[in-house]
Amino acid sequence: MPFNTALTRQLGIKIPVVQGGMQWVGYAELASAVSNAGGLGILTALTQPTPEDLRKEIRRCRKMTSSPFAVNLTLLPALVPPDYHAYARIIIEEGIRIVETAGNSPGPVIKQLKEAKCTILHKCTTIRHAQSAIKLGVDFLSIDGFECAGHVGESDITNFILLSRARQSLGVPFIASGGFADGQGLAAALSLGAEGINMGTRFMCTIEAPIHHAVKEAIVNAQETDTELVLRRWKNTSRLFANKVAKEAVKIERESTSGKFEEVAPYVSGKRGREVFVNGDVDHGVWTAGQVIGLIHDIPSCKDLVERIEREAEETIRKAGSLIVGSSSSVTPPPGEVGKNMNNPGAEIWGVGKTKL
């Protein structure tokens, strides 16, 4: 049964599941498969070497799905930055009306996209950044907890707290990102106030993900502890799969007496990371993965995965509803007494009345 949330209504999708933009992963094969399954697939703009190449990829994706899909445009610091406005122009010209944005100083690009009436999903790792994004006019916030893959920010706030803070303080609808792989997670996110979830690592481990099968097998065989936080010293922290290269990078980072980025740069090369997805040597370079790898145990098709998430979420929500057993459950015992199978609002300690202390 299709869900009815602010996300599904505005984006025209059936299931409130978004495939996050991922460098060297967000190609038409994956994005179209997710959209065809009822979620929102996303192409990654900067995976394409030029804006015109992005135009070709958008057109290729459109031939593979008639459902809505989006484009991710991430603005990152670089000595020679890409022409972000040119990428945004291609997005607009090709009729894409849903864009996931992320990164530094996104204001001018968001303004350009909003003037073309695009719906903006902006990724944030803190409430402060989310509040700044709201001022830019974004439509949805993607709240990224510390569990997530890639850039985790510097605040180390996990989603159980971050999502509740978003619910308490933000006036814009948000989706939950980081740590999601199944329907139970979707149900939990909805319960915490989110309008849906964003999944990256989980979608890497699907049949349609255009990466080497050995990488997918490495994810399936991994535990939730098999990630490393790299580049903390330079306040550009990224969560990576804990392979030999990532571990060596962390060792150099911790032991370096000079603190020069040049010492670790060869180990965190994006070029080597891209080659991992092609040659299947998972220790060849660094690649991003979230702690959710501990929850991933198979390599399904996107259709099977999204359908399973939908089914699990429905079952979980129904089960939670069945825990409310009737009007008697809402009766509050007198102060100082503990009701059966319930917490006493008058108690100072959970489950212990004041008279028991």
Side-chain angles (χ1 to χ4, degrees):
M1 179 182 297
F3 283 77
N4 180 17
T5 73
L7 187 75
T8 61
R9 290 193 298 271
Q10 186 153 340
L11 304 190
I13 60 178
K14 295 179 181 179
I15 314 300
V17 173
V18 175
Q19 166 243 314
M22 294 174 281
Q23 189 72 343
W24 315 128
V25 182
Y27 293 97
E29 291 83 358
L30 179 59
S32 63
V34 174
S35 290
N36 285 334
L40 181 73
I42 296 184
L43 299 175
T44 304
L46 298 185
T47 290
Q48 303 302 320
T50 70
E52 285 302 320
D53 286 307
L54 175 60
R55 187 194 301 277
K56 294 175 184 176
E57 191 71 2
I58 290 171
R59 292 180 178 180
R60 192 166 74 93
C61 191
R62 192 165 278 131
K63 291 179 180 178
M64 301 168 74
T65 183
S66 59
S67 298
F69 64 92
V71 174
N72 164 279
L73 186 55
T74 298
L75 291 77
L76 295 174
L79 293 176
V80 183
D83 189 345
Y84 294 116
H85 288 286
Y87 278 97
R89 176 176 53 79
I90 295 298
I91 290 170
I92 294 166
E93 289 178 357
E94 289 301 310
I96 298 296
R97 291 297 175 262
I98 308 170
V99 182
E100 179 187 62
T101 58
N104 301 325
S105 305
V109 167
I110 289 177
K111 180 181 178 182
Q112 180 183 0
L113 294 166
K114 288 299 295 180
E115 287 175 349
K117 303 189 183 307
C118 292
T119 296
I120 305 296
L121 289 68
H122 187 71
K123 301 185 77 171
C124 302
T125 59
T126 68
I127 297 302
R128 178 172 60 85
H129 292 150
Q131 290 169 334
S132 296
I134 290 172
K135 295 176 183 178
L136 299 176
V138 303
D139 301 278
F140 289 88
L141 293 158
S142 181
I143 302 298
D144 284 21
F146 187 55
E147 308 93 326
C148 74
H151 294 283
V152 299
E154 306 303 323
S155 299
D156 300 5
I157 306 298
T158 56
N159 257 329
F160 206 76
I161 300 300
L162 200 57
L163 295 176
S164 289
R165 283 285 289 115
R167 184 188 69 249
Q168 291 174 348
S169 58
L170 303 179
V172 168
F174 62 92
I175 62 176
S177 179
F180 296 97
D182 52 33
Q184 289 83 358
L186 172 57
L190 295 174
S191 296
L192 289 170
E195 301 292 340
I197 58 174
N198 178 302
M199 302 193 310
T201 307
R202 172 67 270 199
F203 277 122
M204 286 176 64
C205 207
T206 57
I207 291 171
E208 295 89 349
I211 60 177
H212 200 284
H213 190 73
V215 177
K216 302 175 188 182
E217 289 181 330
I219 293 172
V220 168
N221 294 328
Q223 302 296 317
E224 60 273 17
T225 52
D226 291 332
T227 68
E228 289 282 0
L229 295 172
V230 182
L231 305 186
R232 302 224 81 175
R233 187 168 186 167
W234 297 278
K235 297 191 181 301
N236 188 27
T237 308
S238 285
R239 186 180 298 282
L240 306 175
F241 184 78
N243 61 10
K244 294 178 181 178
V245 183
K247 290 177 180 179
E248 185 63 24
V250 170
K251 182 175 184 293
I252 292 171
E253 180 177 346
R254 290 173 178 168
E255 297 178 357
S256 170
T257 56
S258 69
K260 291 183 178 180
F261 177 75
E262 289 78 2
E263 293 182 53
V264 77
Y267 295 88
V268 296
S269 162
K271 180 177 182 293
R272 288 175 61 178
R274 181 184 185 182
E275 291 169 353
V276 168
F277 294 156
V278 176
N279 64 30
D281 180 356
V282 297
D283 288 312
H284 178 71
V286 296
W287 48 282
T288 62
Q291 291 180 318
V292 75
I293 54 178
L295 304 180
I296 297 171
H297 309 296
D298 62 355
I299 308 172
S301 68
C302 289
K303 181 177 185 294
D304 288 344
L305 175 61
V306 172
E307 288 180 352
R308 184 169 72 199
I309 288 173
E310 178 185 22
R311 183 174 62 254
E312 290 172 344
E314 289 183 13
E315 291 171 355
T316 302
I317 291 169
R318 288 198 185 99
K319 181 179 179 181
S322 72
L323 299 177
I324 307 299
V325 296
S327 59
S328 62
S329 66
S330 63
V331 176
T332 302
E337 297 182 13
V338 180
K340 185 179 181 181
N341 296 327
M342 65 186 296
N343 177 51
N344 175 14
E348 292 183 341
I349 299 178
W350 181 273
V352 180
K354 293 179 181 177
T355 58
K356 305 284 186 177
L357 301 176

